[in-house]
Every structure is written in C-alpha cells, then in structure tokens.
C-alpha cells in the first residue's frame, strides 16, 4: 500500500507538471512553507509624503496579446486601498526608499526623528538613526542593499571634479552584538563622482557591487572617465574593470538559472523627451577582483520579438524591473492613458501603471525569450502621483 501510494504520488506530480507545461507556466518551485510575497509600490500621492501600496501579483490575469497591447485591452483597476503605510517626507525623493531583507526604509532627512523602517513580515515599525550630520546622502544618493543586512549609500554634493564624495553604510540589528540600526562611514571613497552612476548590480558572491559610471565629457567632471568599477564590501577595496559600460539603467539583478545579470537597457530620449527605447536585456556576470588585463565588455542579449512594453512608444513615461526570483520578473510601466478611454478614467487620472509578471529563459539558439505565460494588471494612477513614475519604485518582499 505504501509503495502504491508513492507511485500514485509520482504520477500525480507528473500530471501537474505536464499540465503546467501545457499552459506554458513554469511549475512553482517555491517552498510552500515560506510566507507569500507581494509587490510593494511607492507612490507620491499623499500631500504630506508617500504611500506604500501592496499588490498581489498572484491574482493577476493573463496579459493577453503578445505585442505589448494586452493590458490596454483590460479595464484599469484602482490601486489597492488603503495603503499598507504612509511616510511623511518631502516630495520628489522616491529614490530614497530602499529595502533590505523584509524591511522597507525611507532614508529621508525630513522623515522625522530618524529613518522609518517598516517590516513587511511582522508589520513592526522601527526607527533607524539619520545618516551622519552634514551633507551625507542628501543630494542624489545611490542606495544598494547587500547581504540582507546592510545598505550602502554613495553621494556627492556637486558634479565637479573636486566635490567631496560620501560613502556610508547602514547596518541592521544583529543581536546580541548589535541591537540597533547604526551608520558607519566606509573608509574607501569611490574613485568616481556618485552622481554619474548609470547602473549597479550586486555580484552573486554576495559581497561585490559593480557600478557603471557615465560622465559627460563636456560637463564639470570632464577630467573623470566613464567606465565600470567594483567594490568589495569585505576587503573595502575598489577595482577598475575598463572604460566600457554595463548595458543597464538603474539596478540590475542576478538570476542563477540564467547565470546572468538582468535589467532594463536603453533609455535614449527622443524628440518628445520620452524614454522610447527601453528594453529588457541580460549580460554575462563580470569576474570580481583585480586583473592585469582589463576584461572586455560582457556579452549582452536583448529580449526581441516578445514585446512587454506598450506598443505606442509616445505614451511611455517610465519603467522599472523588479526581480521575483527563479527567472521571474515584474515589469512596471507608466503610460499615458488613451484619449477617451472612459469618462471614469479621465476623472481619476491621465496615466496608467501597467504591471506585468513574466519569466525569462534562453531559446534554442541561445536568444533571450519569455518562459511563461505573462500575467498582468493595469492600474489608474492618481494625477498627483504620475510625476514620480518616470522611475517607478517597488520592492518584492
């Protein structure tokens, strides 16, 4: 009887896997005992600061058309309400939100007595100290979470060659040795102006962070050069890898199954000033550490025929890519609503947020392609929140 039950269990499992394959949906390999994760979206739709909305990606419907127009055929939904929580802080600085582990942090100077830290797992609220006094992380910092317990922040007061550069680290509590959040200055300032960081990616070794720096040769920092650098958070050591750039904008994510960094590339501005050439792409992971011979730029693959973005590029406002794990991603694209879509939409706002969940894999010829049926939902964006969605901010926690 035990052997028969075991065989029946195998047959049932195979049938489930075959059924998933027939639907072109990757079987869920996630541990069923793990808590369910959600997409947390940062919006500037509150007069006193920001709201964070919780989106259930698993409830999305099939996105439909394969030309990027599938979500446009759906009736847009209102954003989840009420928000999970609100943060009182100065508008225009959504990039100062970051996440580490299961916690969302708002590194705003105007956010009260300290940095609010909201734990999405326990719903507990903690307060970390503000960055050190002075001009640390008050201009346009790049924030990078590393190791699940640290956030590194790079910033600079101006674009000039001699402007002081700040490099700070925020450490999460680690009882019994460290019971509170704490800041420390990193004694290895970056060899470039942080205001010119175009993209960054954490290496799969969990300790090295790569930065590509794009310097305007005619600007105030003309003495600096563009290129790619890495920082070893253990050795506190910077390395220069060459005058080439990683093919991303913003944050890229490492995926073990693809064995590559994945992110959004492009971002050229057209005559109308809109981001008209954004695409999903991946590239080989660059080896960390020093090398006598500077490595060449990593090979890059671009997602081709299967468009994920709105097919009307003139409506595109901005986009972000969130990593869901196991070669699964979530694309957030803010678009202008079609004229005359519905009277209700026109009253609520002139912009929509398309959220699409999808998988990636390599095709038979080694090309980058989607791996599962895309699912998505379109949301009506409040008019007051549309101005920050040129660079949407969201976290998978």
């Amino acid at each position: 009887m035990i052997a028969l039950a075991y065989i029946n269990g195998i047959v049932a499992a195979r049938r489930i896997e075959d059924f998933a394959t027939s639907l072109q949906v990757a079987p869920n390999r996630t541990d069923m005992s793990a808590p369910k994760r959600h997409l947390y979206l940062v919006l500037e739709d509150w007069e006193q600061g920001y709201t964070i909305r919780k989106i259930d990606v698993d409830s999305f419907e099939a996105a439909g058309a394969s030309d990027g127009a599938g979500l446009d055929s759906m009736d847009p939904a209102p954003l989840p309400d009420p928000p999970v929580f609100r943060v009182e802080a100065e508008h225009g600085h959504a990039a100062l939100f970051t996440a580490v582990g299961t916690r969302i942090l708002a590194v705003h100077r105007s956010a009260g007595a300290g940095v609010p830290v909201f734990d999405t797992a326990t719903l507990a609220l903690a307060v970390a100290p503000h960055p050190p006094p002075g001009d640390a992380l008050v201009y346009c910092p790049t924030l990078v979470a590393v190791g699940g317990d640290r956030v590194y922040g790079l910033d600079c007061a101006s674009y000039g060659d001699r402007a002081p550069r700040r490099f700070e680290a925020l450490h999460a509590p680690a009882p019994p040795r460290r019971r509170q959040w704490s800041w420390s200055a990193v004694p290895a300032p970056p060899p470039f102006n942080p205001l010119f960081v175009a993209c960054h990616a954490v290496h799969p070794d969990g300790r090295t962070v790569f930065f590509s720096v794009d310097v305007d040769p005619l600007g105030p920092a003309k003495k600096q050069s563009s290129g790619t650098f890495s920082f070893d958070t253990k050795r506190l050591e910077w390395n220069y890898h060459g005058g080439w750039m990683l093919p991303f904008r913003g944050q890229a994510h490492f995926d073990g199954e693809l064995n590559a960094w994945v992110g959004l590339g492009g971002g050229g501005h057209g005559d109308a000033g809109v981001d008209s050439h954004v695409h999903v792409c991946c590239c080989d992971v660059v080896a960390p550490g020093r090398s006598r011979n500077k490595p060449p730029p990593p090979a890059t693959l671009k997602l081709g025929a299967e468009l994920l973005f709105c097919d009307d590029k003139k409506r595109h406002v901005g986009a972000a890519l969130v990593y869901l794990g196991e070669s699964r991603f979530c694309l957030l694209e803010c678009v202008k609503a079609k004229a005359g879509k519905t009277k209700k939409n026109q009253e609520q706002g002139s912009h929509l947020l398309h959220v699409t969940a999808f998988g990636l894999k390599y095709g038979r010829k080694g090309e980058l392609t989607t791996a599962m049926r895309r699912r998505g939902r379109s949301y009506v964006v409040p008019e007051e929140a549309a101005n920050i969605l040129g660079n949407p901010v969201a976290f998978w926690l």
Side-chain angles (χ1 to χ4, degrees), residues 87-100:
V87 176
E88 289 189 13
E90 182 181 355
H91 285 172
H93 300 284
L96 290 176
F97 282 88
T98 187
V100 56

Side-chain angles (χ1 to χ4, degrees), residues 149-228:
D149 62 352
R150 287 158 290 152
V151 176
Y152 290 90
L154 299 83
D155 201 7
C156 193
S158 73
Y159 290 94
D161 293 320
R162 299 182 179 180
R165 302 162 187 177
R166 302 298 297 263
F167 194 10
E168 309 285 340
L170 177 60
H171 305 268
R177 182 174 56 88
R178 185 176 62 247
R179 297 184 176 276
Q180 297 180 339
W181 292 84
S182 62
W183 288 92
S184 66
V186 181
F192 53 83
N193 189 322
L195 297 182
F196 292 103
V197 171
C199 67
H200 67 272
V202 178
H203 193 273
D205 65 6
R207 58 184 276 179
T208 307
V209 186
F210 279 74
F211 299 89
S212 280
V213 182
D214 190 10
V215 178
D216 182 357
L218 302 179
K222 53 183 177 292
K223 293 182 180 180
Q224 301 182 47
S225 59
S226 299
T228 296

Side-chain angles (χ1 to χ4, degrees), residues 275-290:
D275 226 351
S276 58
H277 302 289
V278 182
H279 55 266
V280 176
C281 62
C282 73
C283 79
D284 295 337
V285 174
V286 181
R290 293 182 177 180

Side-chain angles (χ1 to χ4, degrees), residues 28-118:
N28 187 4
R29 297 180 296 277
T30 304
D31 184 0
M32 296 301 293
S33 64
K36 182 176 179 178
R37 305 178 76 177
H38 295 81
L39 188 72
Y40 290 86
L41 173 68
V42 178
L43 285 177
E44 192 178 294
D45 59 344
W46 182 40
E47 61 182 8
Q48 298 181 51
Y50 303 82
T51 66
I52 284 74
R53 311 291 178 125
K54 181 179 178 180
I55 296 176
D56 185 3
V57 174
D58 292 339
S59 68
F60 286 177
E61 301 173 355
S66 61
D67 60 354
L71 293 180
D72 266 334
S73 63
M74 298 181 179
D75 289 331
L79 287 163
D81 196 56
V84 177
F85 68 103
R86 294 180 171 91
V87 176
E88 289 189 13
E90 182 181 355
H91 285 172
H93 300 284
L96 290 176
F97 282 88
T98 187
V100 56
T102 60
R103 294 158 290 198
I104 298 175
L105 298 80
V107 192
H108 296 71
R109 287 284 185 178
S110 59
V115 174
V117 181
F118 178 76

Side-chain angles (χ1 to χ4, degrees), residues 241-253:
H241 295 271
W244 44 265
M245 303 281 293
L246 292 172
F248 310 109
R249 39 168 264 180
Q251 182 182 7
H253 313 272

